Amino acid sequence: MDLTDLRAAFAGRLLVDADAMSPFLTDWRRKWTGRAVAVAQPDDAAGVAAVLRWCRSQGVAVVPQGGNTGLSGGATPAAQGHSLVLSTTRLQRIRALDPVGQTITVEAGVTLQQVQDAARDAGRLFPLSLAAQGSCTIGGNLATNAGGVQVLRYGNARDLCLGLEVATAEGELWSGLRALRKDNSGYALRELFIGSEGTLGVITAAVLKLFPLPAAQHVALVAVPSPAAALALLALAQQRLGAELTAFELISEACLALVERHVEAARRPLAEASPWYVLVELSSARGEAAATQGFEALLEAALEAGHASDAALSSSLAQFRSLWALREDISESQGAEGPTIKHDIALPITRIPDFIEQTEAAIARHFPGLRLVVFGHLGDGNLHYNLSPPRSGLSAAEFLALEPPVNRLVHDAVDAAGGSISAEHGLGVLRRDEAARYKPAVEQRLMQALKQALDPLNLMNPGKLLGQRDLNHHHASET
Amino acid sequence: MDLTDLRAAFAGRLLVDADAMSPFLTDWRRKWTGRAVAVAQPDDAAGVAAVLRWCRSQGVAVVPQGGNTGLSGGATPAAQGHSLVLSTTRLQRIRALDPVGQTITVEAGVTLQQVQDAARDAGRLFPLSLAAQGSCTIGGNLATNAGGVQVLRYGNARDLCLGLEVATAEGELWSGLRALRKDNSGYALRELFIGSEGTLGVITAAVLKLFPLPAAQHVALVAVPSPAAALALLALAQQRLGAELTAFELISEACLALVERHVEAARRPLAEASPWYVLVELSSARGEAAATQGFEALLEAALEAGHASDAALSSSLAQFRSLWALREDISESQGAEGPTIKHDIALPITRIPDFIEQTEAAIARHFPGLRLVVFGHLGDGNLHYNLSPPRSGLSAAEFLALEPPVNRLVHDAVDAAGGSISAEHGLGVLRRDEAARYKPAVEQRLMQALKQALDPLNLMNPGKLLGQRDLNHHHASET
């Protein structure tokens, strides 16, 4: 393919060499690998638009990519090799920071960590927080509507975004970089591009919300007898702490045991094991004394009401970090045990106890021996509902062959409970057809109509997000 | 027109008599009056879809209407009389309330007040709050993305909505009534319908977020020397109170004087007049003592720093209400002075002091004698930037003839400051063309493409929201 015009069309790098392209063609977990005509890395938003114009003129499909840390294969090109990877990592400028107005304007390639750091340097908090923050880009966070551990208080990426700049499929630049808390002057274009996984346009910059840094933060590991007790504790915490409750994470005993086995420094601060735990974080504008006092009163009330059987409250930054590490190290510890089957599901919060009980029983019945590794953002109704193979008796291949029927069991249960099969990881290719299976036909037609309207040539990340529906599948909500 | 098929198509009322239709054909401020083929009032969501199918088959345009309390003429039919008013006020069911999951599922015709009351009866808060809450419907609130006085803490209608049920232009019912805090399984259809003012579909039901009722609430009227001081006080309040800060309203001395003149019970609690005031509300989960203490510490610090010159803090529910009344009675008091010219504008918060100073000077220069009545939600960057005629020397007609050039001056200044000409009232017909004047051409093309995709026959509230752009106008952001 003649790339002369493309090379001349924008400032930045154009990679065509196989070695140079290689890091952009495989996702970080090495689950998907594709091929590409080239990898374009423009230096600025105008360059992104120019690349899109070239692609349109040549009929070349575009795969937008940020930090390439996604979990659903949304940023990996297809195997055919006819598409171009458009990497936004060189869009590196922080364009503005307004501490009083509490906004920051950044280009798509700035990493989440860099946004957090810039905010902190100005005495402000950018609360989006997730494991990949050192490498993931804010453009990718917005394109996938990333979540993380502070969603309970501050919302997901969508809720933290005030304005967007987007290069459209036509190769035009839409400047919607409004630093406004309110704007009712037309359709919610910003919202539509957020979470569209690069299938409608490419986000090149964004205005994000900042918050005051909390004056004090504490975290507690609380042993709870059951998910139902965890839910009762959540309600109590919301009532007593209001918006000072900034995280509420559910952890099963199996998770904690895995972390202790694989992370040397990990030490649970509670004497006795409990079937479930929650990690509760409080962030207060009121200072240390008020924070500690509020937290202690909550824990006392929880113990008294029987929602909790024991609790350990952090009293130093080191303890704060080591308690959080017990939660953050679950994924890696599970990985150390062999292959995993994962689900990123959302449920109406009050249905979680029944879901956990019934789904565990169903898995034990249909897939005896599989080990459940269940944790997640209980305050958001978001569970990482994972499985590991039995300690012996099943090869990795045999275990992974169970993935489709296990997915079916779990996702059917999620659908029956009014949940979503993708809470925060997006659809990409991993959950594209699965989502189509469960979504009402009307919703899929509406989504297809929007795709057709904004990307009539189907050049924006084709094959991602929008799945083909199995028309023989009879959807429950349409009976 | 033969309405036999329509009458048979749905359960509910069909009004064709002029007297019966009349309340639906004029907005409540009597600014716009139209005509209609009929007014349909289905009893349920299926009826709404059926009416839309009939309209589609007949090529009849539909004007969706909730409580008919809008300020921008978005729910009034055109004068030609070819359209049908589709009133959702009989969709009256509260379908579900989950106090632990903190959600309520309501049909579109439930009034905002009824939602608030149902939440309160369950010990929960539905925080959307605005003057028309006794008559406006939740469907209308969502279709226009309504704002109000608690947006600073809880967000606008958009931020309070988890799921939607929508009757599409094709007359299908999309059930997106998900009670999920997270859901990344496709395009943000919910967000697109919210704020689309009935031009893409008709909202028939919604799942809304609830919050714990605060344990204590206080409000203070604070005298501040300038808008810049008000802004400094805002930053201080955010730092010290965090999410306990639930309202931050700016009020000019002229506003307060108007309220005192026209509302008998109104009494300002401060000895000396000040050019500006802010009404600060604190809502705490921590109880009375903590709330009072936090508020007093804030006010002391503000006085010490020179951000404030005096302050009165409510110490009873009666005082809480009478302080709030000083803010809430401004609009009506201004109305008692004669005709008004109003602007509902949003600005980046930090630009507000300069905007106020410079725009006041420009108005004094170009329109000497006009009186400014400036107040609004400073914490959201949303000003109600209103004008009244001079006490004498200008007839009502002469004053109102100034509206177009005054709009131009104010909106040009808003645009130059990166603001929006509609913060919370929507576009309707009032601001439709004005918005088109200031929006980038790319954005308008994207909006038109979405309209075409979801309403290809242009039957959904035609003539609203989407304006014709004056192509001779040269937009600043496109230079």
Side-chain angles (χ1 to χ4, degrees), chain B residues 254-278:
Chain B
C255 296
L256 220 50
L258 276 179
V259 173
E260 285 186 312
R261 183 175 314 135
H262 294 284
V263 180
E264 204 165 338
R267 201 78 68 235
R268 74 172 80 191
L270 303 173
E272 309 220 347
S274 168
W276 295 92
Y277 306 85
V278 287

Side-chain angles (χ1 to χ4, degrees), chain B residues 445-459:
Chain B
R445 281 196 293 273
L446 291 169
M447 283 173 45
Q448 293 285 0
L450 296 176
K451 170 73 170 175
Q452 173 69 25
L454 298 194
D455 180 27
L457 304 179
N458 192 27
L459 293 178

Side-chain angles (χ1 to χ4, degrees), chain A residues 60-274:
Chain A
V60 170
V62 181
V63 180
Q65 188 179 95
N68 196 17
T69 63
L71 297 167
S72 303
T76 305
Q80 292 86 337
H82 302 144
S83 56
L84 177 123
V85 172
L86 173 48
S87 161
T88 58
T89 50
R90 286 170 67 92
L91 278 71
Q92 274 288 350
R93 283 194 309 146
I94 293 179
R95 294 195 194 162
L97 195 159
D98 175 354
V100 175
Q102 300 200 115
T103 60
I104 186 169
T105 308
V106 297
E107 294 188 347
V110 177
T111 67
L112 175 51
Q113 181 78 61
Q114 288 169 330
V115 179
Q116 291 170 354
D117 291 347
R120 193 175 298 108
D121 290 347
R124 292 291 178 272
L125 172 73
F126 181 64
L128 192 69
S129 175
L130 44 94
Q133 61 197 32
S135 345
C136 66
T137 62
I138 204 69
N141 293 151
L142 289 165
T144 59
N145 188 26
V149 292
Q150 304 276 313
V151 173
L152 176 65
R153 162 65 181 98
Y154 297 102
N156 46 24
R158 175 186 303 290
D159 300 307
L160 297 170
C161 179
L162 294 173
L164 280 187
E165 180 185 79
V166 173
T168 69
E170 301 208 335
E172 297 185 299
L173 210 55
W174 167 53
S175 178
L177 285 177
R178 296 169 194 135
L180 303 175
R181 305 278 162 171
K182 281 180 172 176
D183 179 17
N184 279 355
S185 64
Y187 296 151
L189 294 177
R190 175 188 69 201
E191 306 289 356
L192 188 57
F193 286 113
I194 293 173
S196 67
E197 302 185 21
T199 64
L200 300 177
V202 180
I203 294 169
T204 54
V207 183
L208 306 169
K209 288 185 199 170
L210 302 178
F211 294 82
L213 281 168
Q217 276 196 311
H218 288 290
V219 67
L221 185 72
V222 185
V224 297
S226 65
L231 212 59
L233 176 56
L234 173 64
L236 192 67
Q238 287 174 321
Q239 190 69 46
R240 293 208 168 209
L241 304 179
E244 290 184 338
L245 179 67
T246 45
F248 198 92
E249 301 282 310
L250 183 71
I251 303 169
S252 74
E253 167 60 26
C255 295
L256 221 48
L258 278 179
V259 174
E260 285 185 312
R261 183 173 316 133
H262 294 284
V263 180
E264 201 165 340
R267 201 79 69 235
R268 74 173 78 189
L270 303 172
E272 310 220 347
S274 169

Side-chain angles (χ1 to χ4, degrees), chain B residues 186-324:
Chain B
Y187 296 151
L189 293 177
R190 174 188 71 201
E191 305 290 356
L192 188 57
F193 286 115
I194 293 174
S196 68
E197 303 185 20
T199 64
L200 300 178
V202 180
I203 294 168
T204 55
V207 184
L208 306 169
K209 287 186 200 170
L210 301 179
F211 294 82
L213 282 168
Q217 276 196 310
H218 288 290
V219 66
L221 185 71
V222 186
V224 296
S226 65
L231 213 59
L233 175 57
L234 173 64
L236 192 67
Q238 286 174 323
Q239 190 68 47
R240 292 207 167 210
L241 304 179
E244 291 185 335
L245 179 67
T246 44
F248 198 93
E249 301 282 311
L250 183 71
I251 303 169
S252 74
E253 167 60 26
C255 296
L256 220 50
L258 276 179
V259 173
E260 285 186 312
R261 183 175 314 135
H262 294 284
V263 180
E264 204 165 338
R267 201 78 68 235
R268 74 172 80 191
L270 303 173
E272 309 220 347
S274 168
W276 295 92
Y277 306 85
V278 287
L279 198 73
V280 185
E281 186 188 73
L282 177 153
S283 306
S284 178
R286 293 285 193 105
E288 277 299 335
T292 309
Q293 186 196 350
F295 217 152
E296 282 173 351
L298 168 71
L299 294 175
E300 240 167 71
L303 290 165
E304 202 160 295
H307 305 329
S309 58
D310 199 2
L313 179 60
S314 68
S315 63
S316 68
L317 187 60
Q319 284 178 13
F320 180 87
R321 286 187 178 146
S322 70
L323 285 177
W324 261 116

Side-chain angles (χ1 to χ4, degrees), chain A residues 341-343 403-412 431 434:
Chain A
I341 297 175
K342 299 189 176 194
H343 308 91
E403 184 157 10
V406 169
N407 283 350
R408 183 64 49 246
L409 187 158
V410 173
H411 290 162
D412 278 356
R431 293 292 184 237
E434 197 75 351

Side-chain angles (χ1 to χ4, degrees), chain B residues 68-120:
Chain B
N68 195 16
T69 62
L71 297 166
S72 303
T76 306
Q80 291 85 338
H82 301 142
S83 56
L84 178 122
V85 172
L86 172 48
S87 162
T88 58
T89 52
R90 285 169 69 93
L91 277 71
Q92 273 288 349
R93 284 194 309 146
I94 293 180
R95 294 194 194 164
L97 195 158
D98 175 354
V100 175
Q102 302 201 111
T103 60
I104 187 169
T105 307
V106 298
E107 295 189 345
V110 176
T111 67
L112 174 51
Q113 180 80 60
Q114 287 168 330
V115 180
Q116 291 171 354
D117 291 348
R120 194 175 297 107

